[in-house]
């Protein structure tokens, strides 16, 4: 069968039935849903599924409407944009929508910028990412566009394989924006493969039967009927093969798992986190300020706690000789972890048996570090906040899974309420610690102090037990140690935990009675100094230790407790293999106060808080608002969207988009012109020059008749624009295309030079506004397709006319043959009766 015969049969084939179209859309919808499930590990909950299914339904409805009305891309685009902005606030930006349904300026602005920003947001929020910050636009936009394209192709063309590729693209999107965990990969993969193979085979067989004339079955059996023995054998055989393949796939599923240490690739693990703790002052440097300035102030109120519980504020694991810092890292799997955007209202972990619930209501506390509880945060819920405040907070919520440090990058405000689900800290048994060894983890590099390392080696001893070595170090630090924060009537004590302050704590305890304002030396300090010194000593011996600052629930209180600045504390955590991070309290009891100098020799010794020696290098200056003292508790945070620059930028967006679209059209036409001039043989390039003139005529609204020859078009142009020389251009184009191949190589360049002059003359013959409209017109991009459609319609009409003529000729031949077998008198009588 020749190609021409195949094309004729394809053209004569009947249009697809309603049942076939419904089957195509149903199969594609099922494939999209199977791919959509892959977002589960990244988003959590069911909101992403609702968004994806609605996007799938709307995309296919738009494709059906567009196919029924025979709309092109330019008519379909406004419908897509309308659906995107009308349903997007409810499905893709619910945190910004009014009541989670109606569009608001904030939700529309989020949808407008989401196609550019949402991809990074979805990768920088720690999974599950929830629904804030426009992360649902990844699902909304991907499914809407891919389903629209797939349904359009399968409804308007016979390229069903191309339509099948779009669910596969969505499957790849779920892999890129997913996590290293997969949702039932074997079941979903097998179902996707089975449905795909069955549908593609059915479509191929249907197309083959539509274009073929079977000779092995009777005329009473349709080619696609179940009574067709050939089709019946193929379906049964294919079903058996598919069943065997499915069984083998499930049986070998364990062999398909990746080897240990070679897990799935997750793009989010390669994205740099947006929150940088180095931009903020270490919270431990503000330790003395809580006792001095906010001793009786209610910083926050916490519920669901017991006496002695620790409220974690921040975890610090890097010492730079000045302060202990919250280490920033880009690798989520490192010991320090990474601060990843965290969605509110979603479960970050599976709940444990001892999971507890608590809430924190902010009072006078200010800063970016959020109070948390326990050793693991399972959920952070912002539902108790007002909608506007909840939206701002959700966009600035971060959590470091490794250090369990939570952050509100925008800063907390009075009245903020956070609800937590957390796993409480459990003290390990002494027998378990006796045999435990230090965890083999890579801590951030600390600045080494040789004097402290020598003392630490001596105090730790040479025990074979890792726990005993650290316990010896902790006990030696507490031995003959005294507690003082240098405030009120307490013995004077230097603040800070720089290297000079820590080295002074290793000197013998004493006073210089000759100097009334002298500070005591030796092991005198509060939780800040003892926690920092113990962690530095442990790290000098390669023990995995870190400092945690927070607050302790006072004795005798439980349930709902008000935390004040007097409850501030710090402790040390050490990582043991198989046990986890174990807490140690390095500070002596508060009643361990050192003996003061004789008051007779020093009448009124005034406590003086001296500053540590100037550091060798200036530490980085924190941005405004990083220090808690710099934030005004009564001044609400400035809303950046109120700035006139933002409004000006929003207003300029349509203008910028229009200019970019115009620039894209001009560039596309220039690229097309260059391809026509430089590609192909001489005849092709010359014909490209003539096509460039036809395109310019089309863009100017003077499109020639598609069935006219070059000479006819040139004759009309010579009458309208004589300066063009259209007749000469048409004759040269006909000579190059249809004449012998005897033109020189430079003839094409000369022809294009004449074409450019003709185009300038044609443009000069119309007003400037028509020239501008023609330069931005897209009609020329549709001209060739319109010509092909016209030729196809003409060819179809000619085929119908020939078929009609053939039927009439066959009817006449049949009548003549029937008349030959009758007598002349009968034939005459027949002709008289049938004029």
């Amino acid at each position: 069968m020749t190609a021409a015969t195949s094309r004729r049969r394809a053209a004569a084939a009947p249009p697809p039935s309603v049942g076939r179209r419904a089957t195509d859309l149903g199969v594609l919808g099922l494939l999209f849903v199977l791919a959509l499930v892959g977002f589960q590990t990244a988003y959590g909950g069911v909101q992403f599924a609702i968004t994806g299914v609605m996007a799938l339904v709307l995309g296919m409805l738009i494709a059906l409407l567009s196919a029924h009305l025979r709309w092109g891309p330019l008519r379909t685009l406004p419908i897509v944009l309308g659906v995107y902005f009308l349903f997007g606030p409810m499905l893709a930006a619910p945190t910004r929508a009014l009541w989670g349904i109606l569009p608001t300026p904030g939700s529309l602005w989020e949808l407008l910028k989401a196609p550019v920003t949402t991809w990074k947001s979805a990768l920088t929020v720690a999974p599950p990412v929830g629904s804030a910050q426009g992360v649902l636009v990844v699902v909304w936009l991907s499914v809407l566009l891919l389903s629209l394209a797939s349904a359009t192709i399968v409804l308007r063309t016979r390229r069903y394989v191309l339509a099948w590729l779009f669910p596969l693209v969505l499957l790849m999107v779920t892999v890129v924006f997913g996590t290293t965990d997969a949702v039932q990969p074997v079941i979903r993969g097998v179902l996707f493969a089975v449905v795909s193979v069955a549908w593609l085979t059915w479509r191929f067989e249907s197309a083959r039967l539509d274009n073929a004339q079977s000779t092995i079955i009777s005329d009473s059996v349709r080619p696609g009927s179940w009574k067709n023995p050939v089709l019946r054998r193929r379906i049964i055989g294919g079903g058996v093969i598919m069943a065997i393949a499915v069984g083998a796939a499930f049986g070998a599923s364990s062999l398909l798992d990746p080897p240990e240490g070679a897990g799935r690739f997750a793009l989010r693990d390669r994205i740099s986190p947006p929150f940088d703790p180095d931009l903020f002052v270490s919270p431990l440097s503000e330790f003395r300020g809580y006792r001095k300035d906010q001793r009786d102030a209610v910083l926050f109120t916490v519920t669901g706690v017991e006496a002695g519980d620790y409220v974690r504020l921040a975890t610090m694991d890097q010492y730079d000789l000045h302060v202990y810092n919250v280490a920033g890292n880009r690798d989520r799997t490192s010991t320090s972890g990474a601060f990843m955007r965290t969605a509110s209202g979603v479960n970050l972990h599976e709940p444990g048996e001892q999971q507890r619930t608590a809430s924190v209501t902010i009072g006078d506390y200010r800063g970016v570090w959020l109070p948390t509880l326990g050793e693991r945060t399972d959920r952070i819920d912002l539902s108790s906040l007002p909608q506007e405040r909840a939206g701002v907070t959700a966009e600035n919520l971060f959590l470091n899974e490794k250090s369990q440090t939570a952050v509100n990058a925008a800063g907390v405000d009075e009245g903020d309420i956070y609800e937590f689900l957390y796993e409480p800290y459990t003290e390990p048994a002494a027998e378990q610690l006796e045999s435990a060894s230090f965890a083999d983890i890579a801590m951030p590099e600390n600045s080494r102090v040789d004097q402290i390392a020598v003392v630490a080696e001596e105090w730790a001893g040479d025990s074979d037990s890792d726990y005993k070595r650290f316990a010896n170090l902790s006990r030696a630090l507490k031995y003959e140690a005294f507690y003082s924060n240098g405030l009120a009537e307490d013995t004077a004590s230097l603040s800070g935990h720089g290297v000079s302050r820590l080295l002074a704590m290793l000197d013998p305890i004493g006073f210089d009675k000759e100097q009334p304002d002298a500070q005591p030396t030796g092991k005198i300090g509060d939780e800040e100094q003892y926690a920092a010194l113990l962690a530095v000593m442990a790290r000098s011996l390669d023990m995995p230790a870190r400092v945690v600052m927070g607050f302790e629930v006072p004795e005798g209180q439980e349930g709902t407790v008000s935390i004040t600045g007097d409850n501030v504390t710090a402790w040390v955590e050490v990582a043991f293999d198989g046990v986890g991070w174990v807490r140690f309290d390095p500070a002596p009891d508060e009643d361990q106060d050192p003996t003061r100098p004789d008051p007779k020799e020093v009448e009124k010794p005034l406590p003086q808080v001296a500053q540590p020696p100037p550091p060798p290098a200036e530490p980085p200056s924190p941005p405004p608002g990083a220090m808690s003292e710099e934030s005004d508790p009564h001044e609400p945070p400035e809303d950046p969207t109120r700035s006139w620059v933002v409004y000006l930028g929003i207003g300029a967006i349509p203008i910028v988009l229009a200019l970019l679209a115009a620039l894209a059209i001009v560039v596309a036409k220039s690229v097309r012109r260059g391809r026509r001039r430089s590609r192909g043989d001489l005849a092709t390039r010359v014909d490209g020059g003539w096509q460039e003139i036809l395109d310019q005529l089309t863009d100017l609204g003077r499109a020639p008749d598609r069935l006219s020859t070059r000479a006819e078009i040139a004759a009309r142009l010579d009458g309208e624009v004589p300066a063009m020389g259209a007749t000469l251009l048409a004759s040269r184009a006909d000579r190059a295309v249809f004449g012998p191949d005897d033109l020189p190589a430079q003839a094409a360049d000369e022809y294009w030079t004449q074409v450019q002059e003709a185009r300038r003359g044609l443009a000069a013959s119309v007003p400037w506004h028509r020239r501008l409209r023609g330069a931005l017109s897209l009609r020329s991009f549709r001209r060739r397709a319109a010509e092909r459609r016209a030729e196809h319609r003409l060819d179809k009409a000619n085929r119908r006319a020939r078929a009609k003529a053939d039927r009439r000729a066959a009817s006449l031949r049949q009548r003549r043959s029937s008349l030959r077998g009758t007598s002349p008198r009968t034939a005459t009588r027949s002709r008289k009766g049938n004029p």
Side-chain angles (χ1 to χ4, degrees):
M1 184 172 59
T2 64
T5 304
S6 178
R7 285 195 298 270
R8 285 196 299 269
R9 289 186 177 181
S17 61
V18 176
R20 177 178 295 184
R21 289 182 174 181
T23 302
D24 292 340
L25 294 181
V27 170
L28 289 176
L30 177 59
L31 295 179
F32 273 112
V33 170
L34 289 175
L36 179 65
V37 176
F39 283 118
Q40 170 64 36
T41 58
Y43 284 87
V46 297
Q47 180 62 47
F48 85 94
I50 297 175
T51 301
V53 172
M54 289 300 299
L56 175 62
V57 173
L58 292 172
M60 289 191 170
L61 287 178
I62 295 174
L64 279 170
L65 179 64
S66 178
H68 178 70
L69 299 178
R70 298 185 179 276
W71 284 350
L74 294 181
R75 292 185 179 180
T76 307
L77 181 60
I79 304 298
V80 176
L81 293 177
V83 169
Y84 176 78
F85 286 105
L86 180 62
F87 294 94
M90 175 177 58
L91 299 174
T95 59
R96 294 283 188 174
L98 183 61
W99 303 313
I101 299 176
L102 300 179
T104 61
S107 63
L108 295 177
W109 168 244
E110 188 166 285
L111 289 172
L112 187 61
K113 67 179 182 178
V116 178
T117 62
T118 186
W119 316 103
K120 184 175 182 180
S121 297
L123 291 174
T124 54
V125 175
V129 299
S131 57
Q133 308 171 63
V135 294
L136 281 173
V137 178
V138 173
V139 180
W140 170 242
L141 193 60
S142 300
V143 179
L144 181 65
L145 296 182
L146 292 176
S147 61
L148 172 62
S150 180
T152 299
I153 291 174
V154 81
L155 289 173
R156 296 193 175 198
T157 70
R158 300 187 179 187
R159 296 170 180 166
Y160 51 88
V161 177
L162 182 60
W164 169 80
L165 293 177
F166 288 93
L168 195 63
V169 171
L170 182 63
L171 191 64
M172 296 298 103
V173 173
T174 63
V175 173
V176 172
F177 289 89
T179 65
T180 54
D181 298 325
V183 181
Q184 300 295 334
V186 176
I187 296 178
R188 289 174 52 235
V190 170
L191 285 178
F192 195 96
V194 169
V195 174
S196 299
V197 172
W199 179 66
L200 293 174
T201 304
W202 173 70
R203 283 303 308 265
F204 174 79
E205 188 66 18
S206 298
R208 190 187 67 81
L209 292 176
D210 288 342
N211 298 331
Q213 299 295 331
S214 177
T215 58
I216 62 175
I217 58 176
S218 65
D219 295 337
S220 62
V221 179
R222 292 188 299 106
S225 172
W226 179 253
K227 296 180 180 180
N228 185 343
V230 178
L231 179 64
R232 189 166 59 247
R233 286 196 299 269
R234 289 181 176 178
I235 293 177
I236 295 175
V240 172
I241 294 175
M242 293 297 297
I244 295 175
V246 170
F250 277 104
S253 60
S254 59
L255 302 178
L256 301 177
D257 293 335
E260 189 69 23
R264 286 161 42 106
F265 170 83
L267 185 60
R268 65 179 62 251
D269 294 338
R270 273 70 177 176
I271 299 296
S272 301
F275 177 79
D276 187 1
D278 294 336
L279 298 178
F280 296 86
V281 173
S282 169
L284 193 60
S285 64
E286 300 178 309
F287 187 93
R288 191 68 63 90
Y290 287 107
R291 288 270 175 83
K292 180 180 179 182
D293 303 325
Q294 297 179 299
R295 187 161 195 162
D296 298 324
V298 178
L299 302 177
F300 55 86
T301 302
V302 59
T303 64
V305 294
E306 301 176 355
D309 285 351
Y310 282 159
V311 180
R312 183 189 304 265
L313 193 63
T315 303
M316 294 144 286
D317 52 5
Q318 190 172 34
Y319 186 64
D320 61 0
L321 302 182
H322 306 299
V323 292
Y324 242 108
N325 290 310
V326 179
N329 202 302
R330 297 184 178 183
D331 186 4
R332 294 176 55 198
T333 62
S334 67
T335 306
S336 298
F339 285 89
M340 305 296 294
R341 292 186 184 272
T342 301
S344 64
V346 297
N347 293 327
L348 306 176
H349 303 281
E350 291 295 330
E353 297 179 356
Q354 299 180 350
Q355 187 184 72
R356 295 183 184 177
T357 303
S359 66
V360 175
T361 304
I362 301 298
D364 292 338
Y365 168 71
R366 293 295 179 272
V368 298
W369 316 102
L370 294 183
T372 58
L373 296 166
E375 63 180 5
R376 191 185 73 185
T377 302
D378 292 339
R379 181 188 180 103
I380 302 177
D381 198 348
L382 307 176
S383 59
S384 299
L385 287 173
Q387 181 177 2
E388 182 178 358
R389 182 64 182 166
V392 174
T393 304
E395 293 178 359
N396 293 277
L397 187 62
F398 297 85
L399 178 66
N400 190 321
E401 288 281 357
K402 292 294 184 178
S403 66
Q404 285 301 304
T405 301
V407 168
N408 180 357
V412 299
D413 200 1
E414 185 175 3
D416 287 352
I417 301 177
Y418 307 88
E419 296 178 359
F420 293 93
L421 293 180
Y422 69 97
E423 302 295 333
Y425 173 75
T426 303
E427 188 73 27
E431 296 80 7
Q432 187 180 10
L433 289 176
E434 287 288 342
S435 59
S437 58
F438 293 131
D440 185 14
I441 55 179
M443 299 290 292
E445 185 176 355
N446 274 8
S447 300
R448 180 177 176 84
V449 183
D450 293 335
Q451 300 95 313
I452 295 179
V454 172
V455 176
E457 186 71 31
E458 178 184 353
W459 288 359
D462 55 358
S463 174
D464 294 335
S465 171
D466 287 345
Y467 170 74
K468 287 183 178 180
R469 293 183 65 221
F470 182 81
N472 292 339
L473 187 63
S474 179
R475 281 194 297 267
L477 181 61
K478 281 189 174 184
Y479 181 70
E480 294 184 356
F482 301 94
Y483 186 93
S484 175
N485 51 33
L487 302 177
E489 69 281 358
D490 288 351
T491 302
S493 172
L494 291 171
S495 64
H497 53 281
V499 64
S500 59
R501 178 68 174 90
L502 300 185
L503 288 173
M505 294 182 68
L506 301 180
D507 295 337
I509 295 178
F511 299 92
D512 188 355
K513 297 183 179 182
E514 300 296 331
Q515 298 181 8
D517 58 347
Q519 300 294 332
T521 59
K523 301 175 186 177
I524 300 176
D526 54 13
E527 293 89 347
E528 175 190 359
Q529 287 81 37
Y530 284 105
L533 180 58
L534 180 57
V536 171
M537 298 179 78
R539 289 296 311 280
S540 66
L541 301 180
D542 293 331
M543 299 178 182
R546 63 190 186 185
V547 177
V548 183
M549 178 184 166
F551 302 88
E552 183 179 5
V553 178
E555 292 294 334
Q557 299 188 33
E558 62 180 11
T560 302
V561 179
S562 297
I563 301 297
T564 65
D566 192 46
N567 304 131
V568 67
T569 186
W571 64 92
V572 175
E573 291 182 348
V574 181
F576 289 93
D577 192 17
V579 179
W581 291 95
V582 182
R583 295 177 180 175
F584 293 91
D585 185 7
D589 296 334
E590 293 190 11
D591 56 3
Q592 292 292 109
D593 190 26
T595 304
R596 301 176 189 172
D598 190 355
K600 293 181 181 180
E601 297 184 17
V602 181
E603 292 184 4
K604 291 184 178 181
L606 298 176
Q608 178 181 357
V609 181
Q611 296 297 325
E618 284 292 334
S621 300
M627 292 287 290
S628 60
E629 290 85 351
E630 295 179 4
S631 58
D632 187 356
H634 302 291
E635 182 181 354
E638 182 182 357
D639 188 359
T641 60
R642 297 178 182 177
S643 173
W644 65 270
V645 178
V646 176
Y647 287 109
L648 182 61
I650 295 174
I653 287 177
I655 300 176
V656 174
L657 293 178
L659 292 177
L660 290 177
L663 179 62
I665 294 173
V666 174
V667 171
K669 290 185 177 181
S670 177
V671 171
R672 181 182 62 186
R673 191 179 306 117
R675 292 168 62 92
R676 286 174 172 174
R677 185 168 186 171
S678 59
R679 294 193 178 185
D681 54 13
L682 187 143
T684 302
R685 286 182 289 161
V686 170
D687 180 66
W690 179 256
Q691 296 299 328
E692 196 66 27
I693 293 178
L694 297 182
D695 285 343
Q696 187 178 16
L697 287 172
T698 304
D699 288 335
L700 292 176
R702 303 162 66 174
D705 186 5
R706 299 185 181 93
L707 302 180
S708 299
T709 63
R710 290 192 182 92
E712 294 171 344
I713 297 174
R716 182 172 68 86
L717 288 177
D718 279 341
E720 297 176 357
V721 189
M724 278 187 59
T727 302
L728 179 61
L729 291 174
S731 61
R732 289 188 176 183
D734 288 338
R735 172 72 172 77
V737 174
F738 302 109
D741 299 334
D742 57 353
L743 292 178
Q746 64 272 18
D749 295 333
E750 296 175 358
Y751 186 80
W752 267 95
T753 301
Q754 297 171 356
V755 167
Q756 297 288 30
E757 295 177 356
R759 292 182 73 252
R760 285 192 289 269
L762 181 60
S765 65
V766 297
W768 68 269
H769 57 87
R770 289 189 61 184
R771 287 199 301 270
L772 178 61
R773 187 171 60 182
L776 303 180
S777 175
L778 295 174
R779 296 175 182 174
S780 59
F781 289 100
R782 305 191 302 268
R783 181 180 64 84
R784 301 299 294 272
E787 290 180 355
R788 286 193 294 269
R789 288 195 298 270
E791 292 176 359
H792 177 70
R793 288 195 296 268
L794 180 61
D795 184 45
K796 191 174 182 180
N798 291 336
R799 288 199 302 269
R800 289 178 179 175
R802 285 196 298 269
K804 185 176 180 180
D806 292 343
R807 288 195 298 269
R808 292 183 61 185
S811 177
L812 290 175
R813 286 194 297 270
Q814 185 177 5
R815 291 177 59 186
R816 290 175 180 175
S817 62
S818 61
L819 290 175
R820 291 193 187 99
T822 60
S823 62
R825 183 179 302 174
T826 304
T828 303
R829 190 161 51 253
S830 176
R831 283 195 296 272
K832 290 181 179 180
N834 297 283

